[in-house]
Amino acid sequence: RASSTVIKRGQEQVLGDLSMTLCDPYAINFLAQSAMKIINHLINIEGLPRDNQVLVLVLRMLSLGLQAWEMISTQQYKEPKMDVQLVTKFLPALMSLMVDDQVRSLNARLPQDDRESAITTIEHSGPPPDAYQAYVQENAVASMLAVYYTFHTARQRDRTGVMRVLGSLAGAEGQRAYHDPFLHTLVGHLALMSDDFAQEDFCTVVFDEFFLTGLSSSSASTAASSTGPTPAAAPLPATECANSAARHLLRLLWHVHPKLPPARLQGLMKTLQPLAQANEGLKPAVQALQDKLKDTTPPVVEPESSDSPLLSVPAPAPIQ
């Protein structure tokens, strides 16, 4: 059990080694998914997060893994103190969103009732609670849980659920949502929701509120890429965030472009052009997408001209 006090002299490497083990992407994935499963179980049994000691332990381990690089760089071998309100405020807010998802799913399977559907939409489809958005922006553990919750909604192809929370990830602590492993998973789920991209409101959330926000996170986003990938547990530099968002936006467009409104697709391609001009790594992907668009866009067929003399004959006047 990790101690909340400073490790004794000569034993500092114990906590450091543990944190480096827990910051492995596979460990982060296991801990985050385990936390989400426990939270879902608590919803089913109407339990409280603070009463589940296994969940608290998993969150402490997740916090230790996410703070590993800071611990190593500062040589301060001390377990990060977990914010109590993460358990008493953020997790209940997250659970309320998950309950809303279940209510909407159940309502969709019931016989059609316009009045009840309207009430369900109003009560269970609004913006996320303030506590949810605030902690996603300020707390590493909360931001990681929010990422995995968004994966869950996208995996369920829950259009409303994705629209409620995806925009919040743009401001997540440490730009964690723009790490390559997470964007890779997110794009994989969004690609299966291609039909939803025909709706402008869905495009606004996915592109304007999330991907384009990542592209504009740094004025130097078109500069050369960093020397190497940033570990998943470490905050993402702004330049790498923009480059990562651009790469995965191209992946998403490759799969969903047939469903996009033409104006939206043209606007996104124009946005990507200057990035491709300044970043050699993006040029092949942008060019491949442009070639694909040319191949799939049907040519405009102009009406053939006719030399028929009947075209010069005036139309008869209508019969009175």
Side-chain angles (χ1 to χ4, degrees):
R1 181 176 180 270
S3 173
S4 60
T5 59
V6 178
I7 300 297
K8 295 180 180 180
R9 183 180 297 275
Q11 298 180 350
E12 294 87 352
Q13 293 300 322
V14 174
L15 192 56
D17 292 345
L18 178 60
S19 67
M20 292 304 294
T21 300
L22 294 176
C23 80
D24 181 84
Y26 292 99
I28 295 292
N29 178 70
F30 171 76
L31 292 172
Q33 288 198 357
S34 297
M36 294 302 297
K37 290 179 180 178
I38 296 173
I39 292 170
N40 190 65
H41 173 69
L42 290 174
I43 291 174
N44 293 333
I45 65 173
E46 299 183 0
L48 295 175
R50 64 172 179 264
D51 295 334
N52 191 293
Q53 295 303 313
V54 175
L55 175 60
V56 174
L57 176 60
V58 169
L59 295 179
R60 289 176 59 196
M61 295 171 67
L62 183 58
S63 176
L64 187 60
L66 293 174
Q67 299 295 325
W69 291 94
E70 180 180 350
M71 180 184 299
I72 297 301
S73 62
T74 61
Q75 298 293 298
Q76 297 293 323
Y77 295 99
K78 183 178 179 181
E79 180 187 356
K81 185 176 180 181
M82 190 172 69
D83 188 346
V84 175
Q85 292 187 346
L86 176 72
V87 178
T88 60
K89 288 190 175 182
F90 171 76
L91 289 185
L94 175 60
M95 293 169 72
S96 73
L97 291 174
M98 298 172 71
V99 170
D100 286 345
D101 296 341
Q102 295 178 5
V103 171
R104 292 195 311 273
S105 177
L106 177 61
N107 181 73
R109 296 195 295 267
L110 295 176
Q112 184 66 30
D113 186 323
D114 293 340
R115 181 176 180 276
E116 290 298 326
S117 296
I119 294 175
T120 301
T121 300
I122 294 172
E123 294 182 349
H124 301 283
S125 303
D130 293 340
Y132 176 88
Q133 300 188 64
Y135 272 85
V136 168
Q137 295 174 3
E138 300 172 1
N139 187 280
V141 175
S143 66
M144 190 60 62
L145 293 179
V147 167
Y148 277 81
Y149 168 61
T150 306
F151 289 167
H152 171 74
T153 59
R155 189 184 306 115
Q156 299 297 319
R157 304 188 189 184
D158 183 350
R159 178 178 180 274
T160 301
V162 171
M163 291 178 61
R164 292 181 82 186
V165 298
L166 182 58
S168 301
L169 292 185
E173 188 272 344
Q175 302 285 1
R176 297 183 187 277
Y178 293 104
H179 280 275
D180 275 330
F182 304 136
L183 278 182
H184 181 85
T185 303
L186 178 64
V187 169
H189 293 319
L190 291 177
L192 299 177
M193 302 176 66
S194 58
D195 290 341
D196 292 308
F197 284 91
Q199 305 298 322
E200 183 60 31
D201 56 350
F202 191 75
C203 291
T204 298
V205 173
V206 174
F207 297 123
D208 297 342
E209 296 184 14
F210 184 70
F211 278 102
L212 296 186
T213 300
L215 291 179
S216 61
S217 63
S218 170
S219 59
S221 62
T222 57
S225 59
S226 59
T227 56
T230 301
L236 194 66
T239 300
E240 190 173 337
C241 168
N243 291 334
S244 179
R247 289 194 302 271
H248 290 280
L249 174 57
L250 285 166
R251 285 185 55 234
L252 181 60
L253 292 178
W254 183 272
H255 293 287
V256 305
H257 68 85
K259 301 292 185 178
L260 288 176
R264 168 66 68 173
L265 180 58
Q266 292 175 7
L268 291 171
M269 294 304 297
K270 288 181 180 179
T271 301
L272 289 168
Q273 283 296 336
L275 295 175
Q277 293 296 327
N279 190 330
E280 291 293 334
L282 293 177
K283 283 185 178 180
V286 172
Q287 185 60 49
L289 180 58
Q290 289 176 334
D291 294 340
K292 185 178 180 68
L293 294 178
K294 291 178 182 178
D295 294 338
T296 57
T297 303
V300 178
V301 179
E302 297 182 358
E304 297 182 0
S305 59
S306 175
D307 297 331
S308 173
L310 295 178
L311 294 178
S312 60
V313 177
I319 299 176
Q320 299 294 332

